[in-house]
Amino acid sequence: MSPTLVFGVIAAYFILLLVISYFTSRKADNNTFFTADKQSPWFLVAFGMVGATLSGVTFISVPGEVGNTNWTYLQFVMGNMVGYAVIALVLIPLFYRLKLVSIYEYLRDRFGQNSYLSGASFFLISQTIGASFRLFLAALVLQLAFFDAFGIPFYVTVLTNIALIWLYTFRGGIKTIVWTDTLQTTFLLLAVVVSIIMIINHLDLSVPQVFTVVTESDLSTIFEWDWRSGQNFFKTFLAGIFITIAMNGLDQNIMQKNLTISNTGDAQKNILWFSITFFIATVLFLSLGVLLYEYATTQGIALPGRSDELYPMLALNHFGAVAGIVFLLGIIAAAFSSADSALTALTTSFCVDILGLKRKEHKNQNRTRMLVHIGFTILMFFVIIIFSSLNDSSVVSAVFKVAGFTYGPLLGLFAFGLLSKRTVNDKFVPFVVILSPVISIILDYNSEAWLNGYKFGFEILIVNAAITCLGLFLLKGNGKNERLNEAENL
């Protein structure tokens, strides 16, 4: 693809995003930025969340990862479905009943101020790292497809991308994102469908033959029963449940979109239909992975050194101009649909949880919110640059590995709060939530030597949360908890 064509595609896409931003941010205030005025249609949120959840990680890494771990990722997604059910039946009613702007306000009401700030801080760390990883993928592809042709360094590519994201989110916030996510999900799924069609045409396959190629391939093995493997079914399935609860139900980025819906029932319908669509989309991505390796083998194309590079290499260099254009739109949409909402969620959490800003519009508060928004934009830029110099493994594994350590304390805090009526000594909670991931990292690093060859996978999140719960149990508070705790009455 010519650099001029790539530039035209990117420019047209961002102009479209800016047009959406203009119409959704008129008369916007802090309440609009944080909650979209509680007027989002549930079906629009459900569809848009598919793109935000899949992200650039799924779009690029999951098809490539098929060559390393086959379809074992689907075990994880099966667990996701159970996790989404828990979110819909337990967390959604809780958060709506408490009328929260930031979901971490629950921790203040349940345990105290230190627990509240600890939970919000771990979200800020987790989301900054995760969103930066995802945006890194999009910048990497654009660097390869456009910026390298003009000798533009990678940091300029990153800066351009993140500045554009800031530009279309800084006024409308979550209201703008609900609508842009719908557009971006459409492009993401369209890119996968077009890629599959191109492979079918190149290999001259019929639809039944495609089904046979995918189902009979050795790469389509779903279940792994070896207990020592990081892809063992029981470990991966359980991890899928708890990572979904932690990274979706206890994540301001995802839940902020749900909380823009006017009532509990519609929010629950949103989660239900989103989860079904998400599962189907994941099967589509895994099928694409098998077809990518089949195409490379039959065409005698050498596989790249990193599995993350397989899909971009084939789409941009072998599938033709149309597929290349749609792929670029897909990867931009996939990465930006998670990065833009992450930036808004980070801004919301910091403003509400750390600074104590309220939804009501005030000149100084509005200025503060904008400064925080700029601050997180700059922070994400530096995290991406650092990650680009250190990354040496599949991004999909890296993201969830990091999340296993940073979301563990969040999962532990909420689980202990919901499943127990026990009070805690709030001033010592920060020590527990810091110590828990440290112990988990040490255990993960030494598990094969200490546990007879056992290797942790995604389930390290569960261990981390369990350590947090144990620490909270040992921090028994004195007397009855007098704080507002409506959740205990659910």
Side-chain angles (χ1 to χ4, degrees), residues 43-53 178 181-182 185 257 274 337:
F43 49 87
L44 201 70
V45 177
F47 186 69
M49 281 176 59
V50 174
T53 304
V178 166
D181 275 1
T182 302
T185 297
K257 297 174 186 177
F274 153 71
S337 63

Side-chain angles (χ1 to χ4, degrees), residues 223-234:
F223 299 104
E224 171 61 67
W225 304 109
D226 182 357
W227 69 274
R228 291 172 296 185
S229 171
Q231 281 74 49
N232 172 267
F233 170 77
F234 297 103

Side-chain angles (χ1 to χ4, degrees), residues 157-339:
T157 305
V158 175
L159 186 61
T160 302
N161 286 319
I162 204 163
L164 288 169
I165 290 174
W166 179 87
L167 191 61
Y168 74 81
T169 60
F170 83 99
R171 290 188 62 192
I174 195 65
K175 182 177 181 180
T176 296
I177 285 164
V178 166
W179 288 91
T180 56
D181 275 1
T182 302
L183 174 72
Q184 292 171 155
T185 297
T186 300
F187 280 123
L188 185 152
L189 296 178
L190 181 63
V192 178
V193 172
V194 169
S195 296
I196 291 176
I197 292 173
M198 289 298 177
I199 294 174
I200 291 173
N201 290 337
H202 278 84
L203 298 182
D204 194 25
L205 298 172
S206 64
V207 174
Q209 287 174 323
V210 172
F211 182 80
T212 300
V213 168
V214 172
T215 56
E216 294 185 358
S217 172
D218 292 338
L219 297 178
S220 298
T221 302
I222 298 175
F223 299 104
E224 171 61 67
W225 304 109
D226 182 357
W227 69 274
R228 291 172 296 185
S229 171
Q231 281 74 49
N232 172 267
F233 170 77
F234 297 103
K235 293 191 293 183
T236 308
F237 181 78
L238 287 174
I241 296 173
F242 289 100
I243 283 183
T244 296
I245 295 172
M247 294 185 66
N248 290 272
L250 305 182
D251 187 301
Q252 179 67 19
N253 181 12
I254 299 297
M255 293 308 297
Q256 188 170 357
K257 297 174 186 177
N258 287 288
L259 296 176
T260 66
I261 299 171
S262 61
N263 61 79
T264 304
D266 282 350
Q268 290 176 310
K269 284 193 291 187
N270 159 58
I271 292 293
L272 171 64
W273 286 106
F274 153 71
S275 63
I276 294 171
T277 308
F278 172 73
F279 187 87
I280 295 171
T282 302
V283 171
L284 199 63
F285 275 98
L286 292 170
S287 300
L288 173 62
V290 174
L291 293 173
L292 288 174
Y293 281 98
E294 179 70 17
Y295 178 85
T297 300
T298 57
Q299 300 296 310
I301 300 172
L303 297 177
R306 288 169 47 191
S307 61
D308 292 336
E309 298 173 356
L310 176 64
Y311 187 20
M313 180 190 73
L314 295 179
L316 295 174
N317 301 314
H318 297 276
F319 291 169
V322 173
I325 291 172
V326 176
F327 170 80
L328 280 176
L329 288 172
I331 183 58
I332 295 170
F336 285 14
S337 63
S338 59

Side-chain angles (χ1 to χ4, degrees), residues 337-365:
S337 63
S338 59
D340 55 14
S341 58
L343 186 58
T344 301
L346 288 166
T347 301
T348 299
S349 179
F350 193 86
C351 288
V352 174
D353 299 327
I354 307 301
L355 300 181
L357 266 64
K358 303 300 181 184
R359 284 180 284 177
K360 290 185 178 180
E361 184 67 15
H362 185 279
K363 184 176 180 180
N364 291 336
Q365 290 192 351

